[in-house]
Amino acid sequence: MFWRGVESDTITYSAVISTCENSGEWKKALQLFGAIAGSMLESNLIAFNASITACEKGAKWRKAFQFCSMLAKSKVNASNITFNGAISSCEKKCEWEKALLAFRDMVQSKFEVNTITLSAVISACEKGGEWERALQLLSTMLLSKVESNIITYNSVIS
């Protein structure tokens, strides 16, 4: 891809993917990620995370998990943002079991669990009718001293 005669690199692609993700243009973000894969460039964590978050915003949890699988096979290491995006994509489509699996992977990989993580898993459980699991997760949240917020409590009492 060229812009005004300057050849793009991974950083340029990542920035544009992030812009698409922030604009809700998940399809364009995924097309741009595909352009990286089709070129001689290597994807970086920003490109992966922006694509996963774009999938989350587009409620495309399967695609988010495909990116997680691609990330695991690459030389790039995941981050909290990677897991939070995958979990939130599951929450949007009531895929509580997948959200719990991603959460367990995150914990086993020793990533820091935060308010966003637990709120998304709790919400996924609530939307899936798994209120007992949601309460267990809230208890875990309080015991581990992860800060809760109004979204967390609303999910549990819904």
Side-chain angles (χ1 to χ4, degrees):
M1 177 178 285
F2 290 87
W3 283 291
R4 296 185 190 209
V6 177
E7 187 172 348
S8 300
D9 59 10
T10 304
I11 295 168
T12 307
Y13 273 103
S14 297
V16 177
I17 291 169
S18 291
T19 301
C20 291
E21 173 254 318
N22 288 327
S23 302
E25 295 287 341
W26 67 270
K27 287 181 183 177
K28 288 196 186 305
L30 302 189
Q31 288 171 348
L32 285 165
F33 190 92
I36 294 173
S39 71
M40 299 301 283
L41 299 173
E42 286 191 29
S43 301
N44 64 14
L45 184 59
I46 295 168
F48 274 108
N49 285 345
S51 298
I52 290 167
T53 305
C55 292
E56 177 252 323
K57 290 181 179 176
K60 303 294 181 192
W61 70 270
R62 284 187 178 95
K63 288 197 180 295
F65 273 72
Q66 287 172 353
F67 278 100
C68 290
S69 293
M70 289 168 43
L71 178 65
K73 293 174 187 170
S74 76
K75 297 175 187 174
V76 180
N77 294 318
S79 70
N80 284 25
I81 295 168
T82 310
F83 284 100
N84 287 343
I87 291 167
S88 292
S89 70
C90 294
E91 178 260 334
K92 300 270 189 294
K93 293 302 262 183
C94 307
E95 292 289 337
W96 65 271
E97 291 169 312
K98 299 290 185 191
L100 281 174
L101 285 173
F103 174 68
R104 287 186 185 125
D105 285 349
M106 183 178 188
V107 170
Q108 288 173 353
S109 298
K110 306 239 187 287
F111 282 95
E112 182 183 340
V113 174
N114 58 29
T115 305
I116 295 167
T117 309
L118 281 164
S119 293
V121 177
I122 289 169
S123 181
C125 290
E126 175 269 321
K127 288 178 179 177
E130 294 292 318
W131 62 270
E132 290 173 332
R133 288 182 198 272
L135 284 174
Q136 288 172 344
L137 287 162
L138 177 63
S139 176
T140 299
M141 188 176 204
L142 297 173
L143 290 172
S144 62
K145 298 187 180 175
V146 173
E147 190 175 320
S148 55
N149 60 24
I150 191 83
I151 296 167
T152 309
Y153 291 114
N154 281 340
S155 294
V156 173
I157 62 173
S158 290

